[in-house]
Amino acid sequence: MENLQQLLNEVAACRLCESALPLGPRPVLRVALEARILIIGQAPGLKVHNSGLPWDDPSGDRLRGWLNIDREQFYRDARLGILPMGFCYPGKGKSGDLPPRPECAPTWHERLLQQMPQIEVVLLIGQYAQKRYAGDDEKNLTERVRNQSLDGRFISLPHPSPRNIRWFKQNPWFDEQLLPSFQRRIHPLLSESS
């Protein structure tokens, strides 16, 4: 097995898509051998690029609410791994950030996943992670989230972005039914002593 620190040093030095990144490379992720829950999201936004902290924005605030944990635990707890589809800020598009760079996940994910042998649940946040890992391209996000079993390894969630407020208003079952079940599934993995 590779040495985790050496692998993270390789990731930090990655320049694979440097010419396509408007602010240059700054990989933002967090992996640990102790990780039991893995969050696979899209790519860092501008605020996250600037701070270097994953999910350090309003989307992260909502995500922490879904996990029912505070900011301190989110950043301190090695049982939470964070592995976006793209590690660096991809830049702005017409209606928000550009998609994650396509080079990242194929280049790094498998090697990093091997460094987290205790992962029990993988949270697939948004369409890019779900298309790669959920394996059901025929479903739209709403169907995928609504009709999934929360007992499996992969759990699909909408992106917690404030840009998705309309989706949350149109789908009140998410807050009323899915989130309580989701929290019951996740809580034991974060409440047991390390």
Side-chain angles (χ1 to χ4, degrees), residues 90-153:
K92 276 276 185 231
K94 291 180 182 175
S95 60
D97 290 345
L98 291 172
R101 293 295 311 164
E103 300 90 345
C104 255
T107 301
W108 298 110
H109 274 209
E110 188 57 40
R111 290 173 68 193
L112 289 162
L113 288 168
Q114 290 175 6
Q115 298 295 321
M116 296 180 281
Q118 297 183 58
I119 295 292
E120 293 183 43
V121 174
V122 179
L123 306 180
L124 303 174
I125 305 214
Q127 65 174 325
Y128 300 104
Q130 290 165 18
K131 283 183 180 177
R132 181 168 178 93
Y133 289 101
D136 56 359
D137 288 335
E138 296 174 18
K139 292 182 182 178
N140 67 33
L141 181 132
T142 302
E143 291 171 346
R144 186 180 300 117
V145 171
R146 186 175 208 155
N147 298 323
Q148 69 185 317
S149 165
L150 296 179
D151 295 328
R153 178 176 168 94

Short mmCIF file of all heavy atoms in Angstrom, two decimals, residues 90-153:
data_model
loop_
_atom_site.label_atom_id
_atom_site.label_comp_id
_atom_site.label_asym_id
_atom_site.label_seq_id
_atom_site.Cartn_x
_atom_site.Cartn_y
_atom_site.Cartn_z
N PRO A 90 -12.48 25.37 -10.51
CA PRO A 90 -12.47 25.31 -11.97
C PRO A 90 -12.76 26.64 -12.67
O PRO A 90 -12.59 26.74 -13.88
CB PRO A 90 -13.57 24.30 -12.29
CG PRO A 90 -14.54 24.46 -11.15
CD PRO A 90 -13.70 24.81 -9.94
N GLY A 91 -13.23 27.64 -11.93
CA GLY A 91 -13.58 28.92 -12.53
C GLY A 91 -15.08 29.09 -12.64
O GLY A 91 -15.86 28.19 -12.36
N LYS A 92 -15.48 30.28 -13.05
CA LYS A 92 -16.89 30.64 -13.17
C LYS A 92 -17.40 30.38 -14.58
O LYS A 92 -16.70 30.59 -15.55
CB LYS A 92 -17.08 32.13 -12.88
CG LYS A 92 -17.21 32.47 -11.43
CD LYS A 92 -18.64 32.27 -10.97
CE LYS A 92 -18.79 32.72 -9.54
NZ LYS A 92 -19.42 31.74 -8.71
N GLY A 93 -18.67 29.93 -14.63
CA GLY A 93 -19.36 29.77 -15.89
C GLY A 93 -20.53 30.75 -15.96
O GLY A 93 -20.64 31.64 -15.13
N LYS A 94 -21.42 30.54 -16.91
CA LYS A 94 -22.56 31.44 -17.09
C LYS A 94 -23.55 31.37 -15.93
O LYS A 94 -24.16 32.35 -15.57
CB LYS A 94 -23.29 31.12 -18.40
CG LYS A 94 -22.49 31.48 -19.62
CD LYS A 94 -23.24 31.15 -20.89
CE LYS A 94 -22.40 31.47 -22.11
NZ LYS A 94 -23.04 31.06 -23.34
N SER A 95 -23.72 30.17 -15.36
CA SER A 95 -24.72 30.02 -14.29
C SER A 95 -24.11 29.38 -13.05
O SER A 95 -24.69 28.49 -12.45
CB SER A 95 -25.90 29.20 -14.80
OG SER A 95 -25.45 27.91 -15.20
N GLY A 96 -22.95 29.84 -12.66
CA GLY A 96 -22.28 29.30 -11.48
C GLY A 96 -20.89 28.81 -11.84
O GLY A 96 -20.37 29.11 -12.91
N ASP A 97 -20.32 28.04 -10.93
CA ASP A 97 -18.97 27.52 -11.19
C ASP A 97 -19.00 26.52 -12.34
O ASP A 97 -19.99 25.83 -12.57
CB ASP A 97 -18.41 26.84 -9.94
CG ASP A 97 -18.08 27.83 -8.84
OD1 ASP A 97 -18.01 29.04 -9.12
OD2 ASP A 97 -17.90 27.39 -7.69
N LEU A 98 -17.87 26.43 -13.02
CA LEU A 98 -17.71 25.43 -14.08
C LEU A 98 -17.71 24.03 -13.47
O LEU A 98 -17.47 23.87 -12.27
CB LEU A 98 -16.41 25.68 -14.83
CG LEU A 98 -16.35 26.94 -15.68
CD1 LEU A 98 -14.93 27.18 -16.20
CD2 LEU A 98 -17.34 26.86 -16.84
N PRO A 99 -17.94 23.01 -14.28
CA PRO A 99 -17.88 21.63 -13.77
C PRO A 99 -16.47 21.30 -13.27
O PRO A 99 -15.49 21.94 -13.68
CB PRO A 99 -18.22 20.77 -15.00
CG PRO A 99 -18.86 21.68 -15.97
CD PRO A 99 -18.31 23.06 -15.70
N PRO A 100 -16.37 20.29 -12.41
CA PRO A 100 -15.05 19.85 -11.97
C PRO A 100 -14.20 19.44 -13.16
O PRO A 100 -14.73 18.91 -14.15
CB PRO A 100 -15.33 18.64 -11.09
CG PRO A 100 -16.80 18.62 -10.85
CD PRO A 100 -17.45 19.47 -11.88
N ARG A 101 -12.91 19.66 -13.08
CA ARG A 101 -12.02 19.23 -14.15
C ARG A 101 -12.09 17.71 -14.28
O ARG A 101 -12.09 16.99 -13.28
CB ARG A 101 -10.57 19.64 -13.85
CG ARG A 101 -10.33 21.13 -13.86
CD ARG A 101 -10.53 21.77 -15.19
NE ARG A 101 -9.80 21.05 -16.24
CZ ARG A 101 -10.03 21.19 -17.53
NH1 ARG A 101 -10.96 22.02 -17.96
NH2 ARG A 101 -9.33 20.51 -18.41
N PRO A 102 -12.17 17.20 -15.51
CA PRO A 102 -12.35 15.76 -15.72
C PRO A 102 -11.11 14.92 -15.42
O PRO A 102 -11.20 13.70 -15.31
CB PRO A 102 -12.74 15.66 -17.20
CG PRO A 102 -12.14 16.88 -17.83
CD PRO A 102 -12.19 17.95 -16.78
N GLU A 103 -9.96 15.55 -15.26
CA GLU A 103 -8.73 14.80 -15.02
C GLU A 103 -8.60 14.27 -13.60
O GLU A 103 -7.95 13.24 -13.37
CB GLU A 103 -7.49 15.69 -15.30
CG GLU A 103 -7.40 16.22 -16.71
CD GLU A 103 -8.09 17.58 -16.91
OE1 GLU A 103 -8.89 18.00 -16.04
OE2 GLU A 103 -7.82 18.21 -17.95
N CYS A 104 -9.18 14.96 -12.64
CA CYS A 104 -8.94 14.65 -11.23
C CYS A 104 -9.38 13.25 -10.80
O CYS A 104 -8.57 12.47 -10.30
CB CYS A 104 -9.65 15.67 -10.35
SG CYS A 104 -8.56 16.86 -9.60
N ALA A 105 -10.66 12.98 -10.91
CA ALA A 105 -11.18 11.71 -10.39
C ALA A 105 -10.48 10.50 -10.99
O ALA A 105 -10.03 9.62 -10.24
CB ALA A 105 -12.69 11.63 -10.57
N PRO A 106 -10.32 10.40 -12.32
CA PRO A 106 -9.63 9.23 -12.86
C PRO A 106 -8.16 9.14 -12.43
O PRO A 106 -7.62 8.04 -12.30
CB PRO A 106 -9.72 9.39 -14.38
CG PRO A 106 -10.75 10.42 -14.62
CD PRO A 106 -10.85 11.25 -13.39
N THR A 107 -7.53 10.26 -12.21
CA THR A 107 -6.11 10.27 -11.85
C THR A 107 -5.90 9.91 -10.38
O THR A 107 -4.97 9.15 -10.06
CB THR A 107 -5.49 11.66 -12.12
OG1 THR A 107 -5.66 11.96 -13.50
CG2 THR A 107 -4.02 11.69 -11.77
N TRP A 108 -6.75 10.41 -9.49
CA TRP A 108 -6.46 10.32 -8.07
C TRP A 108 -7.40 9.48 -7.23
O TRP A 108 -6.99 8.94 -6.18
CB TRP A 108 -6.41 11.73 -7.46
CG TRP A 108 -5.35 12.58 -8.04
CD1 TRP A 108 -5.51 13.67 -8.86
CD2 TRP A 108 -3.94 12.43 -7.86
NE1 TRP A 108 -4.28 14.20 -9.20
CE2 TRP A 108 -3.29 13.46 -8.59
CE3 TRP A 108 -3.15 11.52 -7.16
CZ2 TRP A 108 -1.92 13.61 -8.62
CZ3 TRP A 108 -1.77 11.66 -7.19
CH2 TRP A 108 -1.17 12.70 -7.92
N HIS A 109 -8.67 9.37 -7.59
CA HIS A 109 -9.65 8.78 -6.67
C HIS A 109 -9.28 7.36 -6.22
O HIS A 109 -9.31 7.07 -5.02
CB HIS A 109 -11.05 8.80 -7.27
CG HIS A 109 -11.77 10.09 -7.01
ND1 HIS A 109 -13.13 10.16 -6.90
CD2 HIS A 109 -11.32 11.35 -6.82
CE1 HIS A 109 -13.49 11.41 -6.67
NE2 HIS A 109 -12.41 12.15 -6.63
N GLU A 110 -8.98 6.48 -7.15
CA GLU A 110 -8.74 5.09 -6.77
C GLU A 110 -7.57 4.98 -5.79
O GLU A 110 -7.65 4.26 -4.79
CB GLU A 110 -8.50 4.22 -8.00
CG GLU A 110 -8.44 2.74 -7.70
CD GLU A 110 -9.68 2.20 -7.00
OE1 GLU A 110 -10.81 2.60 -7.34
OE2 GLU A 110 -9.51 1.36 -6.08
N ARG A 111 -6.52 5.69 -6.07
CA ARG A 111 -5.35 5.63 -5.18
C ARG A 111 -5.68 6.18 -3.80
O ARG A 111 -5.25 5.63 -2.78
CB ARG A 111 -4.19 6.43 -5.79
CG ARG A 111 -3.61 5.74 -7.02
CD ARG A 111 -2.59 6.60 -7.72
NE ARG A 111 -1.38 6.79 -6.91
CZ ARG A 111 -0.45 7.70 -7.20
NH1 ARG A 111 -0.59 8.50 -8.25
NH2 ARG A 111 0.61 7.82 -6.43
N LEU A 112 -6.46 7.25 -3.73
CA LEU A 112 -6.83 7.81 -2.44
C LEU A 112 -7.84 6.93 -1.71
O LEU A 112 -7.76 6.77 -0.49
CB LEU A 112 -7.37 9.24 -2.63
CG LEU A 112 -6.29 10.26 -3.00
CD1 LEU A 112 -6.90 11.51 -3.60
CD2 LEU A 112 -5.42 10.60 -1.80
N LEU A 113 -8.77 6.34 -2.45
CA LEU A 113 -9.75 5.45 -1.82
C LEU A 113 -9.06 4.25 -1.16
O LEU A 113 -9.50 3.76 -0.12
CB LEU A 113 -10.79 4.99 -2.84
CG LEU A 113 -11.79 6.05 -3.26
CD1 LEU A 113 -12.58 5.59 -4.48
CD2 LEU A 113 -12.71 6.42 -2.12
N GLN A 114 -7.98 3.79 -1.74
CA GLN A 114 -7.23 2.68 -1.15
C GLN A 114 -6.62 3.06 0.20
O GLN A 114 -6.31 2.19 1.00
CB GLN A 114 -6.15 2.21 -2.11
CG GLN A 114 -6.70 1.50 -3.32
CD GLN A 114 -5.62 1.15 -4.33
OE1 GLN A 114 -4.43 1.33 -4.08
NE2 GLN A 114 -6.04 0.63 -5.47
N GLN A 115 -6.49 4.36 0.45
CA GLN A 115 -5.92 4.84 1.70
C GLN A 115 -6.97 4.99 2.80
O GLN A 115 -6.64 5.40 3.91
CB GLN A 115 -5.22 6.19 1.48
CG GLN A 115 -4.07 6.13 0.52
CD GLN A 115 -2.94 5.29 1.05
OE1 GLN A 115 -2.62 5.32 2.24
NE2 GLN A 115 -2.33 4.50 0.19
N MET A 116 -8.21 4.69 2.47
CA MET A 116 -9.31 4.82 3.44
C MET A 116 -10.07 3.51 3.54
O MET A 116 -11.22 3.42 3.12
CB MET A 116 -10.22 5.98 3.03
CG MET A 116 -9.52 7.33 3.06
SD MET A 116 -10.58 8.71 2.57
CE MET A 116 -10.55 8.53 0.79
N PRO A 117 -9.46 2.48 4.12
CA PRO A 117 -10.06 1.15 4.12
C PRO A 117 -11.27 0.99 5.04
O PRO A 117 -11.99 0.00 4.93
CB PRO A 117 -8.91 0.25 4.59
CG PRO A 117 -8.05 1.15 5.42
CD PRO A 117 -8.14 2.50 4.75
N GLN A 118 -11.53 1.98 5.90
CA GLN A 118 -12.63 1.86 6.85
C GLN A 118 -13.90 2.56 6.39
O GLN A 118 -14.88 2.62 7.13
CB GLN A 118 -12.21 2.41 8.21
CG GLN A 118 -11.06 1.64 8.84
CD GLN A 118 -10.74 2.17 10.21
OE1 GLN A 118 -11.59 2.20 11.09
NE2 GLN A 118 -9.50 2.61 10.39
N ILE A 119 -13.92 3.08 5.18
CA ILE A 119 -15.10 3.80 4.68
C ILE A 119 -16.31 2.87 4.68
O ILE A 119 -16.28 1.79 4.11
CB ILE A 119 -14.87 4.33 3.25
CG1 ILE A 119 -13.78 5.40 3.22
CG2 ILE A 119 -16.17 4.87 2.64
CD1 ILE A 119 -14.12 6.68 3.92
N GLU A 120 -17.37 3.31 5.33
CA GLU A 120 -18.62 2.55 5.37
C GLU A 120 -19.72 3.21 4.54
O GLU A 120 -20.58 2.53 4.00
CB GLU A 120 -19.10 2.39 6.82
CG GLU A 120 -18.17 1.53 7.65
CD GLU A 120 -18.69 1.31 9.06
OE1 GLU A 120 -19.89 1.07 9.23
OE2 GLU A 120 -17.86 1.40 9.99
N VAL A 121 -19.68 4.54 4.47
CA VAL A 121 -20.71 5.28 3.74
C VAL A 121 -20.02 6.34 2.88
O VAL A 121 -19.13 7.05 3.35
CB VAL A 121 -21.72 5.97 4.69
CG1 VAL A 121 -22.68 6.85 3.93
CG2 VAL A 121 -22.47 4.94 5.50
N VAL A 122 -20.47 6.43 1.62
CA VAL A 122 -19.96 7.45 0.70
C VAL A 122 -21.13 8.34 0.33
O VAL A 122 -22.13 7.87 -0.23
CB VAL A 122 -19.35 6.81 -0.57
CG1 VAL A 122 -18.85 7.89 -1.52
CG2 VAL A 122 -18.23 5.85 -0.21
N LEU A 123 -21.02 9.63 0.67
CA LEU A 123 -22.06 10.60 0.33
C LEU A 123 -21.73 11.20 -1.02
O LEU A 123 -20.69 11.84 -1.20
CB LEU A 123 -22.12 11.70 1.39
CG LEU A 123 -22.28 11.24 2.84
CD1 LEU A 123 -22.33 12.43 3.78
CD2 LEU A 123 -23.51 10.36 2.98
N LEU A 124 -22.61 10.96 -1.98
CA LEU A 124 -22.43 11.46 -3.34
C LEU A 124 -23.23 12.75 -3.47
O LEU A 124 -24.46 12.72 -3.55
CB LEU A 124 -22.91 10.42 -4.36
CG LEU A 124 -22.23 9.06 -4.28
CD1 LEU A 124 -22.89 8.07 -5.23
CD2 LEU A 124 -20.73 9.17 -4.55
N ILE A 125 -22.54 13.87 -3.48
CA ILE A 125 -23.20 15.17 -3.45
C ILE A 125 -23.20 15.78 -4.83
O ILE A 125 -22.15 16.16 -5.34
CB ILE A 125 -22.51 16.09 -2.44
CG1 ILE A 125 -22.48 15.37 -1.10
CG2 ILE A 125 -23.17 17.45 -2.42
CD1 ILE A 125 -22.61 16.14 0.11
N GLY A 126 -24.38 15.84 -5.41
CA GLY A 126 -24.52 16.45 -6.73
C GLY A 126 -24.32 15.47 -7.87
O GLY A 126 -23.90 14.32 -7.70
N GLN A 127 -24.64 15.94 -9.06
CA GLN A 127 -24.71 15.09 -10.24
C GLN A 127 -23.38 14.50 -10.69
O GLN A 127 -23.33 13.39 -11.20
CB GLN A 127 -25.35 15.86 -11.39
CG GLN A 127 -24.53 17.04 -11.87
CD GLN A 127 -25.12 17.70 -13.09
OE1 GLN A 127 -25.68 17.03 -13.95
NE2 GLN A 127 -24.98 19.02 -13.18
N TYR A 128 -22.27 15.22 -10.52
CA TYR A 128 -20.99 14.71 -11.03
C TYR A 128 -20.54 13.48 -10.25
O TYR A 128 -20.12 12.49 -10.84
CB TYR A 128 -19.93 15.81 -11.00
CG TYR A 128 -20.32 16.99 -11.85
CD1 TYR A 128 -20.78 18.16 -11.26
CD2 TYR A 128 -20.26 16.93 -13.23
CE1 TYR A 128 -21.17 19.24 -12.03
CE2 TYR A 128 -20.65 18.00 -14.02
CZ TYR A 128 -21.10 19.16 -13.41
OH TYR A 128 -21.50 20.22 -14.18
N ALA A 129 -20.64 13.53 -8.94
CA ALA A 129 -20.28 12.37 -8.11
C ALA A 129 -21.25 11.22 -8.36
O ALA A 129 -20.85 10.06 -8.45
CB ALA A 129 -20.29 12.76 -6.63
N GLN A 130 -22.52 11.53 -8.52
CA GLN A 130 -23.52 10.48 -8.72
C GLN A 130 -23.34 9.80 -10.08
O GLN A 130 -23.48 8.59 -10.17
CB GLN A 130 -24.92 11.07 -8.55
CG GLN A 130 -25.18 11.42 -7.10
CD GLN A 130 -26.37 12.32 -6.89
OE1 GLN A 130 -27.23 12.45 -7.76
NE2 GLN A 130 -26.43 12.97 -5.74
N LYS A 131 -23.02 10.56 -11.09
CA LYS A 131 -22.82 9.95 -12.41
C LYS A 131 -21.63 9.00 -12.40
O LYS A 131 -21.65 7.97 -13.05
CB LYS A 131 -22.63 11.03 -13.48
CG LYS A 131 -23.94 11.66 -13.89
CD LYS A 131 -23.76 12.67 -14.99
CE LYS A 131 -25.11 13.27 -15.35
NZ LYS A 131 -25.00 14.32 -16.36
N ARG A 132 -20.60 9.33 -11.64
CA ARG A 132 -19.42 8.47 -11.59
C ARG A 132 -19.64 7.24 -10.71
O ARG A 132 -19.19 6.15 -11.03
CB ARG A 132 -18.21 9.24 -11.10
CG ARG A 132 -16.95 8.36 -11.06
CD ARG A 132 -15.70 9.17 -10.86
NE ARG A 132 -14.52 8.33 -10.78
CZ ARG A 132 -13.74 8.01 -11.80
NH1 ARG A 132 -14.02 8.49 -12.99
NH2 ARG A 132 -12.69 7.23 -11.62
N TYR A 133 -20.34 7.41 -9.58
CA TYR A 133 -20.39 6.34 -8.58
C TYR A 133 -21.75 5.67 -8.38
O TYR A 133 -21.80 4.55 -7.90
CB TYR A 133 -19.88 6.85 -7.23
CG TYR A 133 -18.40 7.10 -7.23
CD1 TYR A 133 -17.89 8.39 -7.36
CD2 TYR A 133 -17.50 6.05 -7.11
CE1 TYR A 133 -16.51 8.61 -7.37
CE2 TYR A 133 -16.13 6.26 -7.12
CZ TYR A 133 -15.65 7.55 -7.25
OH TYR A 133 -14.29 7.76 -7.26
N ALA A 134 -22.86 6.33 -8.73
CA ALA A 134 -24.17 5.73 -8.47
C ALA A 134 -24.56 4.70 -9.53
O ALA A 134 -25.35 3.80 -9.25
CB ALA A 134 -25.25 6.81 -8.34
N GLY A 135 -24.05 4.86 -10.74
CA GLY A 135 -24.28 3.87 -11.78
C GLY A 135 -25.70 3.74 -12.29
O GLY A 135 -26.11 2.69 -12.74
N ASP A 136 -26.49 4.80 -12.19
CA ASP A 136 -27.86 4.74 -12.70
C ASP A 136 -28.18 6.00 -13.49
O ASP A 136 -28.98 6.82 -13.10
CB ASP A 136 -28.86 4.53 -11.56
CG ASP A 136 -28.76 5.60 -10.47
OD1 ASP A 136 -27.90 6.49 -10.58
OD2 ASP A 136 -29.55 5.56 -9.53
N ASP A 137 -27.55 6.13 -14.64
CA ASP A 137 -27.68 7.33 -15.46
C ASP A 137 -29.11 7.63 -15.90
O ASP A 137 -29.41 8.73 -16.32
CB ASP A 137 -26.80 7.22 -16.71
CG ASP A 137 -25.33 7.36 -16.38
OD1 ASP A 137 -25.02 7.99 -15.36
OD2 ASP A 137 -24.49 6.84 -17.14
N GLU A 138 -30.00 6.63 -15.82
CA GLU A 138 -31.36 6.84 -16.30
C GLU A 138 -32.20 7.65 -15.32
O GLU A 138 -33.21 8.21 -15.71
CB GLU A 138 -32.02 5.49 -16.57
CG GLU A 138 -31.32 4.74 -17.69
CD GLU A 138 -31.86 3.35 -17.88
OE1 GLU A 138 -32.96 3.06 -17.41
OE2 GLU A 138 -31.16 2.55 -18.52
N LYS A 139 -31.81 7.72 -14.07
CA LYS A 139 -32.58 8.46 -13.08
C LYS A 139 -32.11 9.91 -13.04
O LYS A 139 -30.93 10.20 -13.18
CB LYS A 139 -32.38 7.87 -11.69
CG LYS A 139 -32.99 6.51 -11.50
CD LYS A 139 -32.77 6.06 -10.07
CE LYS A 139 -33.33 4.67 -9.86
NZ LYS A 139 -33.10 4.19 -8.50
N ASN A 140 -33.07 10.82 -12.81
CA ASN A 140 -32.65 12.19 -12.55
C ASN A 140 -32.35 12.32 -11.06
O ASN A 140 -32.61 11.40 -10.28
CB ASN A 140 -33.70 13.20 -13.03
CG ASN A 140 -35.00 13.13 -12.25
OD1 ASN A 140 -35.03 12.85 -11.05
ND2 ASN A 140 -36.10 13.41 -12.91
N LEU A 141 -31.78 13.43 -10.67
CA LEU A 141 -31.34 13.60 -9.29
C LEU A 141 -32.48 13.40 -8.30
O LEU A 141 -32.32 12.71 -7.29
CB LEU A 141 -30.70 14.98 -9.10
CG LEU A 141 -30.19 15.22 -7.70
CD1 LEU A 141 -28.78 15.77 -7.72
CD2 LEU A 141 -31.10 16.13 -6.92
N THR A 142 -33.64 13.98 -8.58
CA THR A 142 -34.77 13.87 -7.65
C THR A 142 -35.17 12.41 -7.46
O THR A 142 -35.35 11.95 -6.32
CB THR A 142 -35.96 14.70 -8.16
OG1 THR A 142 -35.54 16.06 -8.29
CG2 THR A 142 -37.13 14.62 -7.20
N GLU A 143 -35.29 11.65 -8.56
CA GLU A 143 -35.65 10.24 -8.45
C GLU A 143 -34.57 9.45 -7.71
O GLU A 143 -34.87 8.59 -6.88
CB GLU A 143 -35.84 9.63 -9.84
CG GLU A 143 -37.06 10.15 -10.57
CD GLU A 143 -37.08 9.70 -12.02
OE1 GLU A 143 -36.05 9.23 -12.53
OE2 GLU A 143 -38.14 9.83 -12.64
N ARG A 144 -33.33 9.73 -8.02
CA ARG A 144 -32.21 9.01 -7.40
C ARG A 144 -32.21 9.24 -5.88
O ARG A 144 -32.09 8.30 -5.11
CB ARG A 144 -30.89 9.47 -8.00
CG ARG A 144 -29.70 8.68 -7.50
CD ARG A 144 -28.39 9.17 -8.11
NE ARG A 144 -28.38 9.07 -9.56
CZ ARG A 144 -28.28 10.09 -10.39
NH1 ARG A 144 -28.17 11.32 -9.92
NH2 ARG A 144 -28.27 9.92 -11.69
N VAL A 145 -32.38 10.50 -5.46
CA VAL A 145 -32.35 10.82 -4.03
C VAL A 145 -33.59 10.24 -3.33
O VAL A 145 -33.48 9.63 -2.27
CB VAL A 145 -32.25 12.35 -3.82
CG1 VAL A 145 -32.44 12.72 -2.36
CG2 VAL A 145 -30.90 12.86 -4.33
N ARG A 146 -34.73 10.40 -3.95
CA ARG A 146 -35.99 9.99 -3.31
C ARG A 146 -36.13 8.47 -3.19
O ARG A 146 -36.64 7.96 -2.20
CB ARG A 146 -37.17 10.55 -4.09
CG ARG A 146 -38.49 10.28 -3.41
CD ARG A 146 -39.63 10.95 -4.13
NE ARG A 146 -40.65 11.22 -3.16
CZ ARG A 146 -41.55 12.16 -3.25
NH1 ARG A 146 -41.55 12.95 -4.29
NH2 ARG A 146 -42.45 12.33 -2.32
N ASN A 147 -35.67 7.73 -4.18
CA ASN A 147 -35.93 6.29 -4.24
C ASN A 147 -34.79 5.41 -3.77
O ASN A 147 -34.83 4.20 -3.94
CB ASN A 147 -36.32 5.91 -5.67
CG ASN A 147 -37.59 6.62 -6.11
OD1 ASN A 147 -38.50 6.81 -5.33
ND2 ASN A 147 -37.63 7.04 -7.35
N GLN A 148 -33.77 5.99 -3.18
CA GLN A 148 -32.61 5.20 -2.77
C GLN A 148 -32.83 4.53 -1.41
O GLN A 148 -33.65 4.95 -0.61
CB GLN A 148 -31.38 6.09 -2.70
CG GLN A 148 -31.44 7.12 -1.57
CD GLN A 148 -30.28 8.07 -1.59
OE1 GLN A 148 -29.15 7.67 -1.80
NE2 GLN A 148 -30.56 9.35 -1.39
N SER A 149 -32.05 3.52 -1.18
CA SER A 149 -31.98 2.91 0.14
C SER A 149 -30.86 3.59 0.90
O SER A 149 -29.75 3.75 0.38
CB SER A 149 -31.67 1.42 0.01
OG SER A 149 -31.28 0.91 1.27
N LEU A 150 -31.12 4.01 2.11
CA LEU A 150 -30.09 4.65 2.92
C LEU A 150 -29.22 3.64 3.66
O LEU A 150 -28.35 4.01 4.43
CB LEU A 150 -30.72 5.64 3.91
CG LEU A 150 -31.45 6.81 3.27
CD1 LEU A 150 -32.07 7.70 4.34
CD2 LEU A 150 -30.54 7.63 2.38
N ASP A 151 -29.47 2.35 3.41
CA ASP A 151 -28.70 1.31 4.08
C ASP A 151 -27.45 0.90 3.31
O ASP A 151 -26.61 0.17 3.83
CB ASP A 151 -29.57 0.06 4.30
CG ASP A 151 -30.71 0.35 5.24
OD1 ASP A 151 -30.54 1.18 6.16
OD2 ASP A 151 -31.79 -0.25 5.07
N GLY A 152 -27.34 1.34 2.07
CA GLY A 152 -26.20 0.93 1.24
C GLY A 152 -24.95 1.74 1.51
O GLY A 152 -24.93 2.65 2.35
N ARG A 153 -23.92 1.44 0.77
CA ARG A 153 -22.64 2.15 0.91
C ARG A 153 -22.72 3.56 0.34
O ARG A 153 -22.12 4.48 0.86
CB ARG A 153 -21.54 1.35 0.18
CG ARG A 153 -20.17 2.01 0.22
CD ARG A 153 -19.13 1.12 -0.44
NE ARG A 153 -17.88 1.78 -0.69
CZ ARG A 153 -16.84 1.77 0.12
NH1 ARG A 153 -16.92 1.13 1.26
NH2 ARG A 153 -15.73 2.38 -0.19
#
